[in-house]
């Protein structure tokens, strides 16, 4: 059975898409720790990130770099933090999280709520900053 993230890639479930190429896909996290929290996935389904083959895993980080550089142009932050959990969705993914302080990346924090308009504007702004 396809993971929820594969359904996003296939367009069966909507998302706020940031970037896509033939192997990878990036979209806004629907329950963000901070504004700009983004997920990067390989299109090929693998549950555990360290089961992803070397070539795909390396390319995933390079794809994530391009996305992170665009996010940091839009969201005022010191760094883009990178985290892997994978406790909820069994499809390898990297969390990209704009950081101003260490506690911004605490997954026990209350999540921020964005309006539909804010999500759409954020997508547009980040996409406009992709190089
Ligand atoms: P984890 O597997 O523990 O890394 O957590 C999965 C992450 O995916 C969480 O931060 C969720 O908010 C996020 N998530 C789950 N479903 C969706 C979805 N349909 N669209 C965007 N983000 C999602």
């Amino acid at each position: 059975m396809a993971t929820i993230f594969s359904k996003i890639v296939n367009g069966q479930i909507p998302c706020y898409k940031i970037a896509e190429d033939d192997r990878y896909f990036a979209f806004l996290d629907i329950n963000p720790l901070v504004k700009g929290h983004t997920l990067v996935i390989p299109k090929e389904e693998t549950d555990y990130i360290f089961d992803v083959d070397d070539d795909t895993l390396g390319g995933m980080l390079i794809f994530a770099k391009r996305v992170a550089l665009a996010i940091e142009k839009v969201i005022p932050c010191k760094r883009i933090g990178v985290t892997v959990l994978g406790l909820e969705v069994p499809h390898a993914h990297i969390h990209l999280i704009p950081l101003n302080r260490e506690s911004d990346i605490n997954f026990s924090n209350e999540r921020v709520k964005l309006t539909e308009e804010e999500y759409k504007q954020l997508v547009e702004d980040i996409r406009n900053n992709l190089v």
Side-chain angles (χ1 to χ4, degrees):
M1 205 179 77
T3 66
I4 187 165
F5 288 172
S6 288
K7 289 180 180 168
I8 285 175
V9 170
N10 297 334
Q12 294 168 266
I13 291 179
C15 76
Y16 297 103
K17 181 168 99 172
I18 299 294
E20 176 180 16
D21 69 8
D22 56 330
R23 293 207 291 169
Y24 307 102
F25 196 99
F27 54 104
L28 296 179
D29 195 297
I30 205 64
N31 204 10
L33 275 174
V34 295
K35 191 171 179 181
H37 183 169
T38 300
L39 303 176
V40 172
I41 65 170
K43 289 186 174 177
E44 191 180 306
E45 255 184 35
T46 304
D47 175 357
Y48 183 40
I49 195 159
F50 293 130
D51 285 332
V52 172
D53 70 83
D54 289 359
D55 183 60
T56 304
L57 185 60
M60 192 175 167
L61 195 57
I62 293 166
F63 185 87
K65 174 181 174 182
R66 183 169 158 251
V67 174
L69 293 176
I71 297 170
E72 70 184 25
K73 289 199 183 105
V74 174
I75 305 291
C77 63
K78 291 184 178 162
R79 303 246 156 172
I80 301 296
V82 179
T83 302
V84 174
L85 281 83
L87 295 172
E88 192 185 312
V89 178
H91 186 139
H93 53 282
I94 293 173
H95 293 258
L96 298 177
I97 302 169
L99 299 180
N100 283 298
R101 55 196 74 77
E102 190 181 307
S103 58
D104 287 339
I105 207 160
N106 181 347
F107 277 76
S108 299
N109 287 349
E110 199 170 318
R111 306 305 173 105
V112 297
K113 298 271 178 257
L114 303 179
T115 64
E116 178 79 15
E117 272 319 300
E118 286 173 316
Y119 270 117
K120 284 184 177 162
Q121 188 64 53
L122 189 54
V123 166
E124 189 181 326
D125 292 345
I126 297 172
R127 289 173 84 148
N128 284 340
N129 279 282
L130 286 168
V131 290

